[in-house]
Amino acid sequence: MEAPDELLMLAYRDGDAGAFETLYARHRGALYRFVLRSLKDRSDAEELFQEAWIRVIEARERYAPSARFKTWLYTIAHNLLVDHWRRKGLTLVELNDDEHASPDNPAHQVEARETAARFLQALEALPPAQREAFLLHEEGEMSVAEIAAATGTNEEAAKSRLRYAMTKLKAAVDE
Amino acid sequence: MSDDPKISQRYRELPREEPPRALDDAILAASRRAVQSRPAPLVAPTGRRRWYVPVAAAAVITLAVAVTLHIQHDRPSEEIDAVAPAMKVQETPAPKATEPARAERRAPQPFAAAPSAPAPAAAPAASPAAEAEPRGDIGAASSGVRASRDERVRAQAQVARTAMEQGPEVILERIAELRKQGRHGEADKALAEFRKRYPDYRLTDEMRAKVEKK
């Protein structure tokens, strides 16, 4: 059975560097995509991603598992994003189509690209708070209560943001 | 909450991007460096990490001796000058250990040499018991200077300790105060330090307006 995140973080706090590596491997992809899809600039996203982990490292001595590690991690990322948005405003990263071409037939490729582009457009068009709620749900696999905790809002607001995001994305997919 | 599997599926069809290898390496290297240089834990560890305690104790003792010597070494010259003629008049046989210590203090010596070999011999000269001995005017003058210096050091330590013990709200109020006074450089530094210390602290809009640069 895998060790829970909170135990790994406590082990890291007590000097076990290997515990951090496991923790990092577990969350790196999802956190990266969460940040990447929340920001326009890839280098900004990488900087913010790195900063979030550095904050985790620096705060290890004060870490106490009062909440789930994942909620704590995404709260740190959320705070960094809020700072970033305030400085620069927000748009989403444009994915480079050529990098992600599928080996399927051309007609299917075009259709798939169009669908993906439409979906991304809809995601990009969401208000930041709704997009964040959606990304936390998808990438962070968070419940409404956890989204509320990570973003410093109440459950009703988190639920409403997520519902609006889902409705708008659904409309885009059904087009 | 009603999840729509179609939406999730669409989202999952988007490229599953991963952080670049160089970024992984930088973060993992930082995590290793941090634990290599971490301070001793507050609770005594058990098992294979038991050696931390004696090593930490030795480091604290070495630091204490070095700081004592440094303070002695950096004593203002007026103080030494004031003590020297009086010593001649009084001609009291000083404890033998203090003489070489004073001579050493006057001799030009690089700071780096302070914690080296003569350190343990010089340390008793600065012991509180020796300082407390009544020595007439000389003692009064010198202990007066020393007392004010000690007081200053104690006050600085108290300020640092208070800052450490303060809650985030008190620190934020101070940053806001710095902003109000137009000391933006200091406020920026303090805010950066605050964010490192409390990475998951959520600023209210009102407080954010007070502490952030407009």
Side-chain angles (χ1 to χ4, degrees), chain A residues 12-13 21 24 28 33 37 42 60 62 72 79 83 86 95 115 138-139 149 152 162 170 174, chain B residues 1 4 6-8 11-12 15-18 24 31-32 34 38 197 199-200 202 205 208:
Chain A
Y12 176 58
R13 186 191 69 181
E21 285 176 23
Y24 179 73
R28 62 189 271 284
R33 287 186 293 277
R37 291 188 175 134
R42 187 176 292 267
R60 72 194 179 283
R62 296 183 297 280
W72 185 58
N79 284 348
D83 287 345
R86 282 178 187 274
L95 295 173
T115 311
E138 286 297 332
E139 291 294 354
L162 191 55
K170 191 170 185 308
D174 290 343
Chain B
M1 184 191 56
D4 189 332
K6 206 169 164 189
I7 303 291
S8 275
Y11 183 76
R12 303 276 157 198
R16 309 288 294 161
E17 303 199 52
E18 301 272 318
D24 287 345
S31 75
R32 283 190 291 268
R38 69 192 289 275
R197 194 167 170 73
D200 54 347
R202 282 187 217 96
D205 286 344
R208 194 181 287 278

Side-chain angles (χ1 to χ4, degrees), chain B residues 72-195:
Chain B
Q72 289 290 317
H73 195 82
D74 276 2
R75 177 181 289 187
S77 58
E78 312 88 79
E79 185 192 347
I80 294 170
D81 292 342
V83 172
M87 288 286 281
K88 277 182 203 154
V89 174
Q90 205 177 22
E91 288 295 331
T92 7
K96 288 200 174 150
T98 61
E99 282 307 323
R102 286 185 203 283
E104 201 175 282
R105 237 178 279 140
R106 284 180 201 140
Q109 197 181 16
F111 170 62
S116 65
S127 75
E131 302 276 334
E133 271 175 34
R135 286 186 292 181
D137 291 351
I138 315 155
S142 116
S143 64
V145 174
R146 229 171 274 134
S148 76
R149 192 182 52 228
D150 289 351
E151 216 163 86
R152 225 171 29 239
V153 170
R154 264 199 302 276
Q156 284 166 354
Q158 181 60 37
V159 168
R161 221 172 15 250
T162 311
M164 293 290 284
E165 287 162 2
Q166 281 167 348
E169 289 78 14
V170 180
I171 299 173
L172 286 171
E173 287 299 340
R174 289 204 172 168
I175 297 171
E177 191 57 37
L178 287 173
R179 281 270 181 246
K180 211 186 278 177
Q181 291 168 6
R183 292 154 71 185
H184 295 297
E186 290 171 59
D188 288 343
K189 272 185 201 165
L191 186 58
E193 188 54 40
F194 175 85
R195 286 191 166 135

Side-chain angles (χ1 to χ4, degrees), chain A residues 12-15 17 20-21 24 28 32-33 36-37 42 46 49-50 53-55 57-62 72 75 79 82-83 86 95 100 115 119-120 134-135 137-139 144 149 151-152 162 166 169-170 173-174, chain B residues 1-4 6-21 23-28 30-32 34-35 37-41 48-49 52 192 195-203 205 208 212:
Chain A
Y12 176 58
R13 186 191 69 181
D14 293 341
F20 181 87
E21 285 176 23
Y24 179 73
R28 62 189 271 284
Y32 183 71
R33 287 186 293 277
L36 189 63
R37 291 188 175 134
R42 187 176 292 267
E46 288 179 3
F49 172 78
Q50 183 170 9
W53 284 106
I54 295 297
R55 299 274 169 104
I57 292 167
E58 285 175 346
R60 72 194 179 283
E61 298 285 352
R62 296 183 297 280
W72 185 58
T75 302
N79 284 348
V82 169
D83 287 345
R86 282 178 187 274
L95 295 173
H100 309 293
T115 311
F119 186 82
L120 265 180
F134 175 76
L135 290 172
H137 179 60
E138 286 297 332
E139 291 294 354
V144 167
T151 56
L162 191 55
M166 289 288 194
L169 292 173
K170 191 170 185 308
V173 167
D174 290 343
Chain B
M1 184 191 56
S2 58
D3 275 10
D4 189 332
K6 206 169 164 189
I7 303 291
S8 275
Q9 191 195 330
R10 280 276 178 263
Y11 183 76
R12 303 276 157 198
E13 282 167 10
L14 294 177
R16 309 288 294 161
E17 303 199 52
E18 301 272 318
R21 186 85 202 153
L23 202 50
D24 287 345
D25 292 344
I27 292 166
L28 292 174
S31 75
R32 283 190 291 268
V35 286
S37 61
R38 69 192 289 275
R48 66 191 171 85
R49 290 197 294 271
Y52 280 7
R195 286 191 166 135
K196 275 186 188 168
R197 194 167 170 73
Y198 301 100
D200 54 347
Y201 187 88
R202 282 187 217 96
L203 290 173
D205 286 344
R208 194 181 287 278
E212 284 187 346

Side-chain angles (χ1 to χ4, degrees), chain A residues 68 70-71 136 140-151 155:
Chain A
R68 287 179 74 191
K70 193 161 69 178
T71 308
L136 286 171
E141 296 173 345
M142 287 186 178
S143 65
V144 167
E146 287 169 331
I147 293 170
T151 56
E155 285 192 32

